């Protein structure tokens, strides 16, 4: 009897255990799977920007007739501006006969009478400089040529056409040589109207600045021992006078050429400029004394020599980008 009861009790226990295991209300909670964050969308990189190559320089297309008075002048479209417009090399001054057009002894504009100079000898003046661009690009200048805003030219009220002049920006010291082939500007206080390229050389785009204009004539050009593609960088105070005898420079071959960066009466300033050049990678920078015709000694800062036009032009551009105005020595 006892054994049967025990077996019965055991069977009940087993049944209860089985019931507990199969009853969903008594089962332990199942772990809830973690929800994974949605994958981040793949960011597409923008397509590479393909820079449009600069268009080759071409002569302007002639536009007949004068520029309309109602049209406002404007700078060229950015795509039309040469990438190296601020490095346009100076023209070589030559002394041409007066052009047939634009050289009347007097003329009238807007009811005002202007008189022209018979010669540019001794002309030097300070005043305001402006620039002219797209409105006149391709139209005839006063002497009959076609205006090219990317060439180094200018307009002047009185100088003979053509005349080469040196223009100095009195604000930053930059200089450019331009060929005057047009008349103007006819605004009060302005003495010269520069082409877009000339204004870029002087860093005056979008501005009207005070300049000094000096005519380059047989009496003062070329400077002794210097060609005209670039101008001397002399000390603003205590600068040495112009040389009247060519410098003595040792060259390895007849093709080697030297660039003068500056000339100083004070050797300390010359040495400081040489050190500045050396720090900018001009390993040939040096100071050489030169004696003028009056016996005075100046200290010239030189770089080079350079053999071949390409190397010379590369050095010239590097020097300009470093803030200097090199000149080529013969």
């Amino acid at each position: 009897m006892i054994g049967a009861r025990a077996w019965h009790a055991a069977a009940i226990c087993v049944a209860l255990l089985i019931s507990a295991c199969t009853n969903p209300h008594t089962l332990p909670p199942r772990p809830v799977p973690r929800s994974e964050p949605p994958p981040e969308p793949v960011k597409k990189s923008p397509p590479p920007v393909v820079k449009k190559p600069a268009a080759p320089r071409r002569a302007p297309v002639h536009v007949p007739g004068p520029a309309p008075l109602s049209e406002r002048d404007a700078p060229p479209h950015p795509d039309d501006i040469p990438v190296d417009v601020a490095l346009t090399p100076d023209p070589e001054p030559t002394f041409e006969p007066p052009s047939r057009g634009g050289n009347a002894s007097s003329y009238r504009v807007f009811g005002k009478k202007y008189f022209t100079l018979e010669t540019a000898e001794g002309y030097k003046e300070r005043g305001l400089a402006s620039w002219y661009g797209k409105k006149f690009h391709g139209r005839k200048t006063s002497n009959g040529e076609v205006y090219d805003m990317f060439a180094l030219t200018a307009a002047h009220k009185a100088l003979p056409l053509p005349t080469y002049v040196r223009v100095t920006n009195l604000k930053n010291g930059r200089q450019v040589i331009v060929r005057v082939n047009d008349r103007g500007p006819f605004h009060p206080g302005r003495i010269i109207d520069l082409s877009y390229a000339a204004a870029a050389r002087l860093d005056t785009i979008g501005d009207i600045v005070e300049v000094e204009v000096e005519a380059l004539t047989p009496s003062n050009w070329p400077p002794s021992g210097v060609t005209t593609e670039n101008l001397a960088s002399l000390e603003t105070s205590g600068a040495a006078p112009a040389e009247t005898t060519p410098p003595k420079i040792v060259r390895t071959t007849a093709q080697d050429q030297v660039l003068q960066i500056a000339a100083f009466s004070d050797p300390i300033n010359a040495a400081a400029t040489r050190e500045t050049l050396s720090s900018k990678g001009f390993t040939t920078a040096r100071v050489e004394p030169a004696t003028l015709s009056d016996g005075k000694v100046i200290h010239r800062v030189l770089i080079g020599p350079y053999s071949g036009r390409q190397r010379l032009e590369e050095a010239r551009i590097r020097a300009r980008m470093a803030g200097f105005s090199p000149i080529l020595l013969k």
Side-chain angles (χ1 to χ4, degrees):
M1 236 3 231
I2 296 173
R5 289 180 179 178
W7 280 106
H8 181 69
I12 292 172
C13 290
V14 172
L16 290 172
L17 287 172
I18 293 173
S19 175
C21 291
T22 56
N23 187 347
H25 299 289
T26 61
L27 290 174
R30 294 182 181 180
V32 179
R34 294 182 180 177
S35 59
E36 297 292 335
E40 295 183 2
V42 179
K43 293 182 180 180
K44 294 183 178 181
S45 57
V49 178
V50 179
K51 190 174 182 181
K52 183 180 177 182
R57 279 282 294 117
R58 296 177 182 176
V61 177
H62 175 228
V63 181
L69 293 176
S70 59
E71 182 182 338
R72 294 189 63 181
D73 199 4
H77 190 279
D79 290 343
D80 297 331
I81 301 174
V83 293
D84 57 350
V85 65
L87 299 176
T88 306
D90 290 338
E92 183 78 23
T94 56
F95 305 108
E96 311 168 41
S99 59
R100 292 184 178 181
N103 281 310
S105 59
S106 64
Y107 60 97
R108 285 184 178 273
V109 176
F110 303 136
K112 184 176 180 180
K113 191 173 185 178
Y114 296 89
F115 296 90
T116 58
L117 298 171
E118 293 184 1
T119 177
E121 287 285 351
Y123 174 85
K124 192 173 185 179
E125 185 179 7
R126 290 190 176 191
L128 298 179
S130 51
W131 60 273
Y132 60 129
K134 189 176 179 180
K135 175 180 177 179
F136 301 91
H137 188 64
R139 299 186 186 273
K140 288 288 186 72
T141 62
S142 296
N143 73 342
E145 299 173 357
V146 175
Y147 174 60
D148 183 354
M149 60 182 167
F150 300 125
L152 294 181
T153 61
H156 193 278
K157 292 187 286 287
L159 285 171
L161 304 183
T163 296
Y164 287 86
V165 298
R166 176 172 54 210
V167 185
T168 303
N169 183 345
L170 299 178
K171 184 177 179 181
N172 58 22
R174 295 191 180 186
Q175 296 178 316
V176 66
I177 292 177
V178 295
R179 182 174 179 267
V180 178
N181 66 349
D182 206 358
R183 290 295 176 209
F186 302 108
H187 295 271
R190 302 185 195 180
I191 62 171
I192 196 166
D193 219 0
L194 302 168
S195 66
Y196 182 88
R201 279 281 306 272
L202 295 181
D203 193 22
T204 62
I205 298 297
D207 198 6
I208 295 176
V209 298
E210 187 179 7
V211 298
E212 181 178 84
V213 180
E214 181 180 9
L216 304 178
T217 60
S219 65
N220 66 0
W221 199 264
S224 179
V226 177
T227 62
T228 61
E229 286 193 353
N230 291 282
L231 303 170
S233 174
L234 296 177
E235 231 181 336
T236 55
S237 60
E243 290 183 67
T244 57
T245 55
K248 296 179 180 179
I249 298 176
V250 178
R251 301 190 180 98
T252 56
T253 70
Q255 299 299 321
D256 290 345
Q257 299 179 84
V258 176
L259 292 174
Q260 176 178 299
I261 299 299
F264 300 94
S265 56
D266 187 344
I268 296 177
N269 291 335
T273 302
R274 179 198 61 202
E275 293 303 316
T276 300
L277 286 165
S278 298
S279 68
K280 294 181 180 294
F282 293 92
T283 57
T284 60
R286 63 193 182 278
V287 176
E288 291 187 3
T291 304
L292 305 180
S293 59
D294 58 2
K296 293 182 179 179
V297 176
I298 61 171
H299 304 273
R300 313 173 60 177
V301 185
L302 309 175
I303 58 174
Y306 300 99
S307 58
R309 183 172 181 82
Q310 182 175 352
R311 290 191 61 200
L312 179 70
E313 289 302 319
E314 289 174 354
R316 196 199 314 266
I317 291 172
R318 283 179 56 215
R320 279 180 171 172
M321 293 179 68
F324 299 99
S325 297
I327 61 172
L328 177 63
L329 300 184
K330 291 182 180 180

